[in-house]
Amino acid sequence: MSIRRMTLGAGYRYLMSSVARADEATRAAGLTGYYAATGTPPGWFLGSGLAGLAGGVGVEPGSPVSEEQLWRMLGMLRDPVTGEHLGRPPIGAGMVFVDHLGRVRKAPKSVAGFDLTFSVPKSVSVAWALADEPTRARIHAAHRRALQAVIAYGEVHVFATRTGHAGAISEDVRGVIATAFDHWDSRVGDPQLHTHVVVLNRVQSAVDGRWRTLDSKALFRAAVGMSELYNGLLADEITRNLGWGWAPEGRARSAEPKWEVDGVDKELREEFSQRSSAIEQAKEELVDAFVASQGRQPTAREVIGMRQQATLTTREAKQVKPLVELIDGWRARARDFVGLDQPAWVAALAGRHTHRLVTAHDLEAGILADAATLVVAKVADKRATFTRANLLAEAHRQLHAVRFAASADRIRVAERTATLAAERAVMLTPAEVLDTPEHLQRADGSSMLRPRNSEVYATQDLLDAEARLLAAGQATDAPAVTTAVAARLGRMVAPGKEHALSAEQAHAVATVVTSGRRLDVLVGAAGTGKSTTMAGVRAAWEADHGPGSVVGLAPSAAAAEVLADAVGVPTENTAKWISEHRSLPQREARLREYAARLAGAYPSQATRQLQMTAQAELAAYRRWALRPGQLIIVDEASMAATTDLDHITTAATNAGAKVLLVGDWAQLSPVQAGGAFKLLADAAGPAVATLHDVRRFRHEWERDATLRLRVGDEMVAEEYAAHGRLESGVRADMLDLLFEGWQTDQRAGRASLMVAADADTVVELNARARAWRVRAGHVAQDGVLCGDGTVVGVGDVVVTRLNMRALTTGRGWVKNGDDWVVTATGPDGSLRVIRPGGRATAVLPADYVRGHLELGYASTAHRAQGRTVDTAHAYVTATTLREPLYVMASRGRETNRLYIDTAQEPDSATAHREPERVEPVEVLQKAIATSSADLAAHEVQRQEQARAQRARNLGVGVRPGYSASAANQPAAPWTRSMA
């Protein structure tokens, strides 16, 4: 299930455009009547809120939606029957205003509703497309029952409205008003059974019956859980009615498996997962004609013009096809996979589920308790803090393998599991006050001053880890350097550096090495010279504590290698170091055993072999053990998990050593629960060592701009626009321009980087780069197929994505994030690779190539962090967040260009309309304003306490019957959306 906001008037046409005409099929004919009709069935009403329409007469659930009724709802936010306003009329539509720069701008449109798109898994769509009519009808009915159950669940547990000053009061609603439109295919004509459920942004409060807007925050907070619930309910329905089984499949970029129908092979599913479109095909024809006539490839801007022309020429040709015609085409494409008798192939999928269907009573308390323990452990591993919605989503994931006898059984078990999981955590949100006024209590006694299921939790283990880190940051009994060494810092040249430390860097070094704190923090924005400063720290520390007294760690093996090059000390990734450090007691036991055996041993070959074994064990012990006076530098520490930092710091404290965390809290957070780095930096206050002087960028304005972007100053977007750093348009046009910019820099000999926040865009850019290099003769066309579907050949730049110490490269080994150039391909699918500009080589086995190798011309923001290039070209969308944007906008010394998709559609397969375009500066401002940083549990607890106090203060002054919401009270136009 995906969610899209729908502004006033938007979506109306695309929902109605595919509906079959009334003279082609009638409701009495049932669903089969639409198989031959040109289009899909008319929309139908659903939701308990229908009872409040037409002055209380109501609308029958399941009744068809007329064109006029849909327009009244989505175009005017009115009652679809009577045309009366539902609450306050929408404001701002068609209005303009003058912004702070004197520009005439359109006022934001009101939010008319939310498109909840329920789409069955691809395996279900494929089987549905190839089945006989009765089976198709049963699959479709199962899909409908599952989505209806999710909407009914949401009416009880999710949907709400906010009233009172600043929306302090969360009121239950009498249900939602929704319309559902069934669609058969994806945007490019592949089988994709899905339903657009449009939930109107008007609900009746359960308190006083007045019409108000939906609480969109509550809806989006529960979206993942509702999606997982739908997946489980659909699987149950199909298994109960058809006997199909389900199988988990791994995903390339997710630890969570996806569940597909057992027996629908991946190759068949991929056949029906096309990405081409009529517009792109028409554009390619225009490009071919251009090359034939002009004798050259068109520029990116010329291609954009051709795509616009193709859009116009293909728009009129678009037709809504009858389902029977679609099915004929799908069956023709499936013949090579399943033969001619495709209904028989679908029928053979039955009987693969052999276990008894489960009821809620079948699962004993101990089973649910174990499931709850697993749920909270998995959620807490990924998040420092979490809500019940997070626990509930994970509970549904853990239950995907179980088939339930009824929808109520699945919901009851998941809810109970989530409750047990919450009981195993610590609630950071203060408990509800006991004296909440009666008029601010729900029917179940809970307080309306808190939205349902909005409580925030953390585990006690994480809270304890953060507390230990905070204590270490305050303790000042750690080793330090003498004042004599500190006095020379201003003249010191760090090892491997050509110039002395700057005044700011020298001050930061002095702050760290003389503080005596067990745990220190060095914060530096992108481009401030953290590597040089760390080299200075090493030099100062070794001047007092001797060679080998500095140890380097980093969250990834690739980052550890960068640290080793920059600072010149032995380094390791944190996971490996922690694993080896935990094994030290076993090593000690073995050393004692060897010593005892050697004490009474006679000289012999066996004794000499035992001595060598003991010496190797002792060397390994010394390598991973810490000793007094050492300094452990953890680079990129903002990307290190809190529990890892706690283990390292505790080990250092026990050994009489010191830890220095180096990083930038404004850059990317760890994949695991984090937030500790910023917590420690804030706790240190003015005493924290900080680097402010940005030295990376060629242009002075960009130095200031990146610092403003870093702290969330939305207005800096205007700076990037004023200096010509923004390109804007639709996705395809932006990728054309981005790729052309990178090509130009490559030809000029600049080190250039293409970067995007999402992996799919990176794959697409990599494929373009390879095709260009193949045409230029730099890369062999033939090669080896990787797991993401790309071909890699001799001459390609590739990146390894899994640490593999067994694959040696001279003195090193193959790491996640390493760049390579392919020098040879093996007949078994293996590759010989070499480091760019180096001599280290490796042979990557075929299974490693298939599972853990990608093209390396473009990078995700996570892999780009820590890199510095001449120029960077970054793809930005409406879903880009501040931290990855900051990383992407700060890699290049000379220029950093941002290519902004102003019409992004994340779920393009089920989007049947052109997305609304927005101003590029607005997209950039939203990205800058929206942080994805993982906050520490202690910080969230402080915020929750402050929020609860504000809610209590507001609640005290609320009179019985008082309400104020966007649907009932006046508000200045263009200052807020209706959502």
Side-chain angles (χ1 to χ4, degrees), residues 551 571-572 576-577 618-626 805:
V551 176
T571 62
E572 189 52 84
K576 172 67 173 177
W577 188 89
L618 180 60
Y621 179 87
R622 288 172 175 171
R623 178 184 177 188
W624 303 110
L626 297 176
R805 293 175 186 267

Side-chain angles (χ1 to χ4, degrees), residues 283 298-305 307-308 724-745 747 752-754 764-765 768 872-875 897-901:
K283 183 266 294 181
T299 66
R301 296 194 185 278
E302 289 170 335
V303 171
I304 289 173
R307 187 178 289 109
Q308 292 171 347
R725 293 295 184 85
L726 306 185
E727 298 283 358
S728 63
V730 299
R731 172 186 170 84
D733 293 347
M734 291 303 94
L735 296 188
D736 284 345
L737 289 175
L738 187 156
F739 182 68
E740 185 179 63
W742 177 80
Q743 278 181 310
T744 301
D745 290 336
R747 292 191 186 102
S752 186
L753 179 66
M754 295 186 289
E764 184 172 346
L765 291 171
R768 290 191 185 200
H873 302 269
Y875 175 65
R897 300 191 67 84
L898 307 178
Y899 301 79
I900 299 179
D901 185 346

Side-chain angles (χ1 to χ4, degrees), residues 367-383:
I367 296 175
L368 295 185
D370 291 343
T373 300
L374 178 60
V375 164
V376 74
K378 288 184 72 69
V379 172
D381 182 60
K382 293 179 284 189
R383 302 168 178 269

Side-chain angles (χ1 to χ4, degrees), residues 61 134 557 627 667:
R627 64 175 186 270
Q667 297 188 47

Side-chain angles (χ1 to χ4, degrees), residues 521 638 665-666 675-684 933-936 939:
V521 177
S638 65
W665 47 259
F677 184 80
K678 188 173 190 303
L679 176 71
L680 293 165
D682 290 343
D934 199 1
L935 296 180
E939 172 61 18

Side-chain angles (χ1 to χ4, degrees), residues 647-809:
H647 182 98
I648 294 167
T649 304
T650 300
T653 298
N654 293 338
K658 176 186 175 74
V659 176
L660 170 62
L661 307 182
V662 182
D664 182 9
W665 47 259
Q667 297 188 47
L668 294 165
S669 297
V671 176
Q672 295 175 290
F677 184 80
K678 188 173 190 303
L679 176 71
L680 293 165
D682 290 343
V688 67
T690 307
L691 301 175
H692 298 286
D693 185 13
V694 179
R695 312 165 72 85
R696 174 178 296 166
F697 306 112
R698 173 183 175 186
H699 302 283
E700 189 69 32
W701 74 267
E702 194 164 14
R703 300 176 186 179
D704 176 65
T706 57
L707 291 175
R708 292 172 60 191
L709 190 161
R710 178 176 181 267
V711 296
D713 182 355
E714 302 171 40
M715 303 316 298
V716 76
E718 304 283 359
E719 286 289 312
Y720 283 91
H723 286 86
R725 293 295 184 85
L726 306 185
E727 298 283 358
S728 63
V730 299
R731 172 186 170 84
D733 293 347
M734 291 303 94
L735 296 188
D736 284 345
L737 289 175
L738 187 156
F739 182 68
E740 185 179 63
W742 177 80
Q743 278 181 310
T744 301
D745 290 336
Q746 288 285 305
R747 292 191 186 102
R750 302 185 188 96
S752 186
L753 179 66
M754 295 186 289
V755 61
D758 66 291
D760 288 340
T761 301
V762 171
V763 170
E764 184 172 346
L765 291 171
N766 274 327
R768 290 191 185 200
R770 182 177 199 277
W772 171 60
R773 298 197 72 209
V774 168
R775 288 194 301 268
H778 302 310
V779 171
Q781 183 170 1
D782 298 329
V784 176
L785 188 66
C786 294
D788 61 1
T790 58
V791 174
V792 171
V794 174
D796 266 320
V797 177
V798 296
V799 59
T800 46
R801 304 294 290 133
L802 180 72
N803 291 336
M804 187 66 68
R805 293 175 186 267
L807 300 179
T808 58
T809 61

